[in-house]
């Protein structure tokens, strides 16, 4: 199903197939990107289906066709917690994937936690500086080949939540969220323009609980306040992410149940 010229919706029967198909698609995208450029920058986030996808990447034989030494991993968002804290997104990704592939530790760009910087604002500043260090001459952020995003039932992506001022930050880089409606409250997120600067953004969403947010995002509308939305007609955050190249919605069947039937 095609939603617009650059936004495409792909539906898989269940969450397991969604994770495995997304994993193979991701590995092919890396192999493809490596045929024309090096290094290749990607951004990951947390969330249940994303971790299952990373586990499927580790189990996919295609992983051996990737030159992991030229892959750089960034975080779409990270919770402001010390290294090794269970709240952090990077711990899950390490267990699911990084421990299984020859990705050099220096290519994994972790967001600093309270064990390394004074506060969440300093963490966001440090991450923006790190992004700029890897950006092409004159740019603020690296060229992200693929950004993998999960989505919350309220339509949030990375740590950009409905109705929060962080959604309107128009600078490239990272921002500090100090009052996330989903715990923990302090997080660092890539800004919306940074997500949209990627060549491809893939929104990977599973489960009926997220179906209303999928439908709202694809229609460009809000959710009711009772579902964590703003009820003001503006698009849920996920619906505001449009990649420079292709935006892919990768869904399982239950996540499509609120979409209008063709
Ligand atoms: O808080 C977060 O939530 C979203 C979605 O998580 P899920 O468990 O409902 O799939 C995630 O994508 C984001 O990175 C994370 O920090």
């Amino acid at each position: 199903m095609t939603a617009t010229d650059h936004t495409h919706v792909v539906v898989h029967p269940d969450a397991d197939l969604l994770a495995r198909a997304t994993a193979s698609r991701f590995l092919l995208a890396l192999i493809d990107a490596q045929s024309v450029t090096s290094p290749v920058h990607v951004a990951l986030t947390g969330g249940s289906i994303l971790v299952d996808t990373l586990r499927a990447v580790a189990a996919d034989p295609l992983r051996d066709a990737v030159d992991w030494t030229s892959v750089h991993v960034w975080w779409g968002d990270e919770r402001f917690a010390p290294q090794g804290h269970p709240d952090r997104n990077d711990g899950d990704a390490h267990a699911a994937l990084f421990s299984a592939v020859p990705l050099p530790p220096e290519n994994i760009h972790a967001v600093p936690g309270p064990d390394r910087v004074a506060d969440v604002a300093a963490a966001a500043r440090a991450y923006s500086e790190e992004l700029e260090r890897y950006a092409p001459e004159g740019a603020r952020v690296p060229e992200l080949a693929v950004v993998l995003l999960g989505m919350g039932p309220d339509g949030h992506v990375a740590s950009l939540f409905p109705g929060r001022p962080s959604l309107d930050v128009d600078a490239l880089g990272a921002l500090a969220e100090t009052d996330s409606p989903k715990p923990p409250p302090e997080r660092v997120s890539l800004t919306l323009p940074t997500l949209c600067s990627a060549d491809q953004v893939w929104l990977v969403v599973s489960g009926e609980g997220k179906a209303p947010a999928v439908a709202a995002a694809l229609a460009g509308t809000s959710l009711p306040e009772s579902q964590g939305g703003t009820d003001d007609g503006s698009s849920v955050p996920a619906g505001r992410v449009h990649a420079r190249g292709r935006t892919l919605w990768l869904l399982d069947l239950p996540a499509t149940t609120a979409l209008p039937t063709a």
Side-chain angles (χ1 to χ4, degrees):
M1 185 191 344
T2 299
T4 70
D5 283 352
H6 302 289
T7 299
H8 302 273
V9 180
V10 178
V11 183
H12 296 288
D14 57 44
D16 176 57
L17 207 49
L18 171 64
R20 287 188 290 126
T22 304
S24 298
R25 190 184 283 277
F26 180 65
L27 286 163
L28 282 174
L30 288 178
I31 295 164
D32 236 14
Q34 287 184 333
S35 65
V36 290
T37 190
S38 178
V40 174
H41 296 270
V42 296
L44 307 178
T45 49
S48 37
I49 189 68
L50 258 296
V51 176
D52 288 347
T53 300
L54 297 185
R55 224 173 269 125
V57 171
D60 191 318
L62 265 187
R63 73 183 202 174
D64 296 333
V66 172
D67 173 9
W68 290 99
T69 63
S70 85
V71 176
H72 281 252
V73 175
W74 298 87
W75 294 97
D77 76 322
E78 184 57 277
R79 286 87 180 274
F80 188 60
Q83 283 298 319
H85 193 284
D87 276 351
R88 284 185 70 100
N89 288 330
D90 58 4
D92 288 338
H94 194 276
L97 175 63
F98 303 161
S99 55
V101 292
L103 182 65
E106 63 274 18
N107 289 13
I108 303 168
H109 301 275
V111 175
D115 49 335
R116 287 177 50 199
V117 291
D119 54 30
V120 67
R125 271 197 309 277
Y127 211 54
S128 294
E129 286 163 16
E130 175 87 344
L131 285 158
E132 195 162 0
R133 264 195 290 284
Y134 286 83
E137 185 77 32
R140 303 291 304 274
V141 295
E143 285 169 2
L144 296 167
V146 183
V147 173
L148 278 184
L149 293 177
M151 183 191 72
D154 57 357
H156 84 264
V157 284
S159 286
L160 304 175
F161 290 86
R164 296 287 305 147
S166 57
L167 255 186
D168 298 320
V169 172
D170 63 2
L172 286 163
L175 59 81
E177 171 58 70
T178 54
D179 192 18
S180 154
K182 177 179 173 182
E186 294 191 314
R187 292 145 172 260
V188 170
S189 179
L190 296 184
T191 64
L192 186 61
T194 308
L195 299 177
C196 296
S197 73
D199 184 35
Q200 297 195 53
V201 175
W202 301 355
L203 297 113
V204 190
V205 186
S206 139
E208 201 171 352
K210 296 183 179 176
V214 168
L218 286 167
T221 59
S222 57
L223 282 171
E225 280 179 34
S226 59
Q227 291 176 38
T230 49
D231 220 357
D232 61 359
S234 68
S235 179
V236 294
R240 296 173 61 171
V241 182
H242 302 286
R244 218 166 19 86
R246 190 168 65 147
T247 308
L248 264 190
W249 283 82
L250 302 171
L251 308 174
D252 66 4
L253 208 48
T256 66
T257 48
L259 289 174
T261 45

